[in-house]
Each structure stands twice: as structure tokens, then as C-alpha cells.
Short mmCIF file of all heavy atoms in Angstrom, two decimals:
data_model
loop_
_atom_site.label_atom_id
_atom_site.label_comp_id
_atom_site.label_asym_id
_atom_site.label_seq_id
_atom_site.Cartn_x
_atom_site.Cartn_y
_atom_site.Cartn_z
N GLY A 5 69.49 111.04 86.76
CA GLY A 5 69.14 110.71 88.14
C GLY A 5 70.26 110.03 88.89
O GLY A 5 71.42 110.38 88.75
N ARG A 6 69.90 109.00 89.66
CA ARG A 6 70.85 108.39 90.59
C ARG A 6 71.33 107.00 90.17
O ARG A 6 72.03 106.34 90.92
CB ARG A 6 70.21 108.31 91.98
CG ARG A 6 69.74 109.65 92.52
CD ARG A 6 69.07 109.52 93.88
NE ARG A 6 68.60 110.81 94.36
CZ ARG A 6 67.40 111.33 94.10
NH1 ARG A 6 66.55 110.63 93.34
NH2 ARG A 6 67.04 112.50 94.56
N HIS A 7 70.90 106.54 89.00
CA HIS A 7 71.27 105.18 88.59
C HIS A 7 72.48 105.17 87.67
O HIS A 7 73.47 104.47 87.96
CB HIS A 7 70.09 104.51 87.88
CG HIS A 7 70.35 103.08 87.51
ND1 HIS A 7 70.44 102.07 88.45
CD2 HIS A 7 70.56 102.48 86.30
CE1 HIS A 7 70.67 100.92 87.83
NE2 HIS A 7 70.76 101.14 86.53
N PHE A 8 72.45 105.94 86.59
CA PHE A 8 73.56 105.97 85.64
C PHE A 8 74.58 107.00 86.13
O PHE A 8 74.61 108.15 85.67
CB PHE A 8 73.06 106.29 84.23
CG PHE A 8 72.23 105.20 83.63
CD1 PHE A 8 70.84 105.31 83.58
CD2 PHE A 8 72.82 104.04 83.14
CE1 PHE A 8 70.07 104.30 83.04
CE2 PHE A 8 72.06 103.01 82.60
CZ PHE A 8 70.67 103.14 82.55
N VAL A 9 75.40 106.58 87.06
CA VAL A 9 76.38 107.44 87.71
C VAL A 9 77.77 106.85 87.49
O VAL A 9 78.00 105.68 87.77
CB VAL A 9 76.10 107.59 89.22
CG1 VAL A 9 77.11 108.54 89.86
CG2 VAL A 9 74.67 108.08 89.46
N TYR A 10 78.69 107.66 86.98
CA TYR A 10 80.02 107.17 86.60
C TYR A 10 81.10 108.15 87.07
O TYR A 10 80.89 109.36 87.11
CB TYR A 10 80.13 107.04 85.07
CG TYR A 10 79.09 106.17 84.43
CD1 TYR A 10 77.85 106.69 84.05
CD2 TYR A 10 79.34 104.82 84.18
CE1 TYR A 10 76.89 105.90 83.44
CE2 TYR A 10 78.38 104.02 83.56
CZ TYR A 10 77.16 104.56 83.21
OH TYR A 10 76.21 103.78 82.60
N ARG A 11 82.27 107.58 87.37
CA ARG A 11 83.45 108.39 87.67
C ARG A 11 84.36 108.37 86.45
O ARG A 11 84.57 107.32 85.83
CB ARG A 11 84.18 107.89 88.90
CG ARG A 11 85.35 108.82 89.33
CD ARG A 11 85.93 108.40 90.67
NE ARG A 11 84.95 108.56 91.75
CZ ARG A 11 84.75 109.70 92.41
NH1 ARG A 11 85.45 110.77 92.10
NH2 ARG A 11 83.86 109.76 93.37
N ILE A 12 84.92 109.52 86.11
CA ILE A 12 85.72 109.68 84.89
C ILE A 12 87.19 109.37 85.15
O ILE A 12 87.77 109.81 86.14
CB ILE A 12 85.60 111.12 84.36
CG1 ILE A 12 84.19 111.40 83.89
CG2 ILE A 12 86.59 111.38 83.23
CD1 ILE A 12 83.98 112.82 83.43
N SER A 13 87.78 108.61 84.23
CA SER A 13 89.23 108.42 84.18
C SER A 13 89.69 108.81 82.77
O SER A 13 89.09 108.36 81.79
CB SER A 13 89.62 106.98 84.47
OG SER A 13 89.27 106.60 85.77
N LEU A 14 90.71 109.63 82.68
CA LEU A 14 91.22 110.09 81.40
C LEU A 14 92.59 109.49 81.13
O LEU A 14 93.46 109.52 82.01
CB LEU A 14 91.32 111.63 81.38
CG LEU A 14 90.03 112.39 81.67
CD1 LEU A 14 90.30 113.89 81.70
CD2 LEU A 14 88.95 112.07 80.64
N ALA A 15 92.78 108.94 79.95
CA ALA A 15 94.08 108.40 79.55
C ALA A 15 94.63 109.25 78.42
O ALA A 15 93.99 109.41 77.38
CB ALA A 15 93.93 106.95 79.10
N TRP A 16 95.81 109.83 78.66
CA TRP A 16 96.43 110.70 77.68
C TRP A 16 97.56 109.98 76.96
O TRP A 16 98.26 109.15 77.54
CB TRP A 16 96.97 111.96 78.35
CG TRP A 16 95.93 112.74 79.08
CD1 TRP A 16 95.53 112.59 80.37
CD2 TRP A 16 95.12 113.79 78.54
NE1 TRP A 16 94.53 113.47 80.67
CE2 TRP A 16 94.27 114.24 79.58
CE3 TRP A 16 95.05 114.41 77.29
CZ2 TRP A 16 93.34 115.26 79.39
CZ3 TRP A 16 94.14 115.44 77.11
CH2 TRP A 16 93.29 115.85 78.15
N ASP A 17 97.74 110.28 75.70
CA ASP A 17 98.80 109.70 74.89
C ASP A 17 100.10 110.42 75.23
O ASP A 17 100.34 111.54 74.78
CB ASP A 17 98.46 109.85 73.41
CG ASP A 17 99.48 109.17 72.51
OD1 ASP A 17 100.50 108.70 73.03
OD2 ASP A 17 99.26 109.14 71.29
N ALA A 18 100.95 109.76 76.01
CA ALA A 18 102.18 110.40 76.48
C ALA A 18 103.14 110.68 75.34
O ALA A 18 103.95 111.61 75.42
CB ALA A 18 102.86 109.51 77.51
N SER A 19 103.08 109.91 74.25
CA SER A 19 104.03 110.09 73.15
C SER A 19 103.84 111.43 72.46
O SER A 19 104.74 111.92 71.80
CB SER A 19 103.86 108.96 72.13
OG SER A 19 102.57 109.01 71.53
N ALA A 20 102.64 112.03 72.62
CA ALA A 20 102.39 113.31 71.97
C ALA A 20 102.62 114.49 72.90
O ALA A 20 102.34 115.62 72.55
CB ALA A 20 100.94 113.35 71.46
N ARG A 21 103.15 114.21 74.07
CA ARG A 21 103.27 115.27 75.07
C ARG A 21 104.64 115.93 75.03
O ARG A 21 105.67 115.28 74.92
CB ARG A 21 103.02 114.69 76.47
CG ARG A 21 103.02 115.74 77.56
CD ARG A 21 102.76 115.13 78.91
NE ARG A 21 103.74 114.11 79.25
CZ ARG A 21 103.87 113.61 80.48
NH1 ARG A 21 103.08 114.01 81.42
NH2 ARG A 21 104.79 112.71 80.72
N ASP A 22 104.65 117.23 75.13
CA ASP A 22 105.88 117.99 75.27
C ASP A 22 106.33 117.88 76.72
O ASP A 22 105.56 118.17 77.64
CB ASP A 22 105.60 119.46 74.91
CG ASP A 22 106.86 120.31 74.93
OD1 ASP A 22 107.82 119.95 75.63
OD2 ASP A 22 106.85 121.35 74.24
N PRO A 23 107.59 117.44 76.99
CA PRO A 23 108.04 117.27 78.38
C PRO A 23 107.93 118.53 79.21
O PRO A 23 107.88 118.47 80.43
CB PRO A 23 109.51 116.85 78.21
CG PRO A 23 109.59 116.29 76.83
CD PRO A 23 108.61 117.07 76.01
N THR A 24 107.87 119.70 78.55
CA THR A 24 107.77 120.93 79.33
C THR A 24 106.36 121.20 79.82
O THR A 24 106.15 122.07 80.66
CB THR A 24 108.24 122.14 78.47
OG1 THR A 24 107.36 122.27 77.35
CG2 THR A 24 109.65 121.92 77.97
N LEU A 25 105.36 120.46 79.27
CA LEU A 25 103.97 120.69 79.67
C LEU A 25 103.64 119.80 80.87
O LEU A 25 102.99 118.78 80.75
CB LEU A 25 103.03 120.41 78.50
CG LEU A 25 103.19 121.32 77.28
CD1 LEU A 25 102.22 120.92 76.19
CD2 LEU A 25 102.99 122.77 77.65
N THR A 26 104.11 120.20 82.02
CA THR A 26 103.93 119.37 83.21
C THR A 26 102.52 119.44 83.78
O THR A 26 102.17 118.65 84.63
CB THR A 26 104.92 119.81 84.30
OG1 THR A 26 104.73 121.21 84.57
CG2 THR A 26 106.35 119.60 83.83
N ARG A 27 101.71 120.38 83.29
CA ARG A 27 100.39 120.52 83.87
C ARG A 27 99.45 119.42 83.38
O ARG A 27 98.37 119.24 83.93
CB ARG A 27 99.78 121.88 83.50
CG ARG A 27 99.57 122.09 82.02
CD ARG A 27 99.06 123.48 81.71
NE ARG A 27 98.89 123.70 80.29
CZ ARG A 27 97.81 123.37 79.61
NH1 ARG A 27 96.83 122.76 80.22
NH2 ARG A 27 97.74 123.63 78.32
N ILE A 28 99.82 118.72 82.33
CA ILE A 28 98.97 117.66 81.80
C ILE A 28 99.51 116.32 82.27
O ILE A 28 100.65 115.96 82.00
CB ILE A 28 98.91 117.69 80.26
CG1 ILE A 28 98.36 119.04 79.79
CG2 ILE A 28 98.07 116.56 79.73
CD1 ILE A 28 98.28 119.17 78.29
N GLY A 29 98.71 115.57 82.98
CA GLY A 29 99.15 114.29 83.50
C GLY A 29 98.74 113.13 82.64
O GLY A 29 97.87 113.24 81.78
N VAL A 30 99.35 111.99 82.83
CA VAL A 30 98.98 110.75 82.17
C VAL A 30 98.45 109.83 83.25
O VAL A 30 99.18 109.42 84.14
CB VAL A 30 100.18 110.11 81.45
CG1 VAL A 30 99.75 108.82 80.78
CG2 VAL A 30 100.76 111.06 80.42
N PHE A 31 97.16 109.51 83.17
CA PHE A 31 96.51 108.77 84.23
C PHE A 31 96.40 107.30 83.86
O PHE A 31 96.12 106.95 82.72
CB PHE A 31 95.11 109.34 84.49
CG PHE A 31 95.13 110.80 84.83
CD1 PHE A 31 94.82 111.76 83.88
CD2 PHE A 31 95.47 111.22 86.11
CE1 PHE A 31 94.85 113.11 84.19
CE2 PHE A 31 95.49 112.57 86.42
CZ PHE A 31 95.17 113.51 85.47
N ALA A 32 96.61 106.46 84.83
CA ALA A 32 96.49 105.02 84.62
C ALA A 32 95.01 104.64 84.54
O ALA A 32 94.20 105.10 85.34
CB ALA A 32 97.16 104.26 85.76
N GLN A 33 94.66 103.82 83.56
CA GLN A 33 93.30 103.37 83.43
C GLN A 33 92.99 102.33 84.51
O GLN A 33 93.84 101.53 84.89
CB GLN A 33 93.07 102.74 82.05
CG GLN A 33 93.11 103.74 80.92
CD GLN A 33 91.86 104.60 80.91
OE1 GLN A 33 91.72 105.48 81.75
NE2 GLN A 33 90.97 104.36 79.99
N PRO A 34 91.77 102.31 85.04
CA PRO A 34 91.41 101.29 86.02
C PRO A 34 91.39 99.91 85.37
O PRO A 34 91.17 99.78 84.16
CB PRO A 34 90.01 101.72 86.46
CG PRO A 34 89.48 102.52 85.31
CD PRO A 34 90.67 103.22 84.73
N ALA A 35 91.65 98.90 86.16
CA ALA A 35 91.60 97.52 85.66
C ALA A 35 90.15 97.20 85.30
O ALA A 35 89.24 97.34 86.12
CB ALA A 35 92.12 96.56 86.71
N LEU A 36 89.93 96.75 84.06
CA LEU A 36 88.58 96.48 83.59
C LEU A 36 88.47 95.06 83.07
O LEU A 36 89.41 94.52 82.48
CB LEU A 36 88.20 97.45 82.48
CG LEU A 36 88.18 98.95 82.84
CD1 LEU A 36 87.92 99.76 81.57
CD2 LEU A 36 87.13 99.24 83.89
N ASP A 37 87.32 94.45 83.29
CA ASP A 37 87.01 93.15 82.73
C ASP A 37 86.47 93.40 81.32
O ASP A 37 85.40 93.98 81.14
CB ASP A 37 85.96 92.45 83.60
CG ASP A 37 85.61 91.07 83.07
OD1 ASP A 37 86.03 90.73 81.94
OD2 ASP A 37 84.90 90.32 83.78
N ALA A 38 87.23 92.97 80.31
CA ALA A 38 86.85 93.24 78.93
C ALA A 38 85.49 92.67 78.57
O ALA A 38 84.79 93.21 77.71
CB ALA A 38 87.91 92.69 77.97
N ASP A 39 85.10 91.58 79.23
CA ASP A 39 83.81 90.97 78.94
C ASP A 39 82.65 91.76 79.54
O ASP A 39 81.50 91.54 79.19
CB ASP A 39 83.77 89.53 79.46
CG ASP A 39 84.73 88.62 78.70
OD1 ASP A 39 85.00 88.93 77.52
OD2 ASP A 39 85.21 87.63 79.28
N ARG A 40 82.96 92.65 80.48
CA ARG A 40 81.91 93.44 81.12
C ARG A 40 82.18 94.94 80.94
O ARG A 40 81.91 95.75 81.82
CB ARG A 40 81.82 93.10 82.61
CG ARG A 40 81.14 91.77 82.88
CD ARG A 40 80.92 91.56 84.38
NE ARG A 40 80.33 92.73 85.01
CZ ARG A 40 79.04 93.05 84.97
NH1 ARG A 40 78.19 92.29 84.29
NH2 ARG A 40 78.59 94.13 85.59
N THR A 41 82.73 95.28 79.77
CA THR A 41 83.03 96.67 79.46
C THR A 41 82.45 97.02 78.09
O THR A 41 82.57 96.24 77.15
CB THR A 41 84.55 96.93 79.46
OG1 THR A 41 85.07 96.60 80.74
CG2 THR A 41 84.85 98.39 79.16
N THR A 42 81.83 98.17 78.00
CA THR A 42 81.31 98.65 76.72
C THR A 42 82.35 99.55 76.09
O THR A 42 82.66 100.62 76.62
CB THR A 42 80.00 99.42 76.93
OG1 THR A 42 79.04 98.57 77.55
CG2 THR A 42 79.45 99.91 75.60
N PHE A 43 82.91 99.13 74.96
CA PHE A 43 83.90 99.93 74.26
C PHE A 43 83.21 100.69 73.12
O PHE A 43 82.57 100.08 72.27
CB PHE A 43 85.01 99.04 73.69
CG PHE A 43 85.87 98.39 74.75
CD1 PHE A 43 85.55 97.15 75.24
CD2 PHE A 43 86.97 99.07 75.26
CE1 PHE A 43 86.33 96.56 76.23
CE2 PHE A 43 87.76 98.48 76.24
CZ PHE A 43 87.44 97.22 76.74
N VAL A 44 83.33 102.00 73.14
CA VAL A 44 82.71 102.85 72.13
C VAL A 44 83.81 103.37 71.23
O VAL A 44 84.51 104.32 71.57
CB VAL A 44 81.94 104.02 72.78
CG1 VAL A 44 81.25 104.85 71.71
CG2 VAL A 44 80.92 103.49 73.79
N ALA A 45 84.00 102.72 70.10
CA ALA A 45 85.08 103.08 69.20
C ALA A 45 84.59 103.95 68.04
O ALA A 45 85.38 104.64 67.41
CB ALA A 45 85.76 101.83 68.64
N ALA A 46 83.30 103.91 67.73
CA ALA A 46 82.75 104.69 66.62
C ALA A 46 82.05 105.92 67.18
O ALA A 46 81.08 105.81 67.91
CB ALA A 46 81.78 103.84 65.81
N ALA A 47 82.56 107.09 66.83
CA ALA A 47 81.99 108.32 67.36
C ALA A 47 80.68 108.66 66.66
O ALA A 47 80.48 108.35 65.50
CB ALA A 47 82.98 109.47 67.17
N ASP A 48 79.78 109.28 67.41
CA ASP A 48 78.60 109.86 66.80
C ASP A 48 79.02 111.11 66.04
O ASP A 48 80.02 111.74 66.35
CB ASP A 48 77.56 110.21 67.85
CG ASP A 48 76.74 109.01 68.30
OD1 ASP A 48 75.94 108.52 67.49
OD2 ASP A 48 76.93 108.57 69.43
N SER A 49 78.24 111.45 65.04
CA SER A 49 78.48 112.66 64.27
C SER A 49 77.72 113.82 64.89
O SER A 49 76.64 113.65 65.44
CB SER A 49 78.02 112.43 62.82
OG SER A 49 77.80 113.63 62.16
N PHE A 50 78.29 115.04 64.82
CA PHE A 50 77.53 116.21 65.25
C PHE A 50 76.23 116.30 64.46
O PHE A 50 75.20 116.76 64.97
CB PHE A 50 78.34 117.48 65.03
CG PHE A 50 79.38 117.73 66.09
CD1 PHE A 50 80.69 118.03 65.74
CD2 PHE A 50 79.06 117.69 67.44
CE1 PHE A 50 81.65 118.28 66.72
CE2 PHE A 50 80.00 117.94 68.42
CZ PHE A 50 81.31 118.23 68.05
#
């Protein structure tokens, strides 16, 4: 619905990027308050 609405930001690991692949960008992450951020480090299994 209209409550859980989020905008996506993607952060790419630049060290793994081939300089010739210019179509893939490295985006800056938005400034976040660590105390008010949910970090999901453990992936769910299929």
C-alpha cells in the first residue's frame, strides 16, 4: 500500500569494476543515522 514506501539507492564495489564498463555507476549512499537504520546483514535462504 502507501505506508511502506522506499526509494532505492545502490552502492557498487568500485574495486571489482572493469574501467571499460562505463555503463555501471558507483552511487553514493545517502547519509544515514546508524541509530535509526535497520541493517540486514544475514540473508534469507531461498
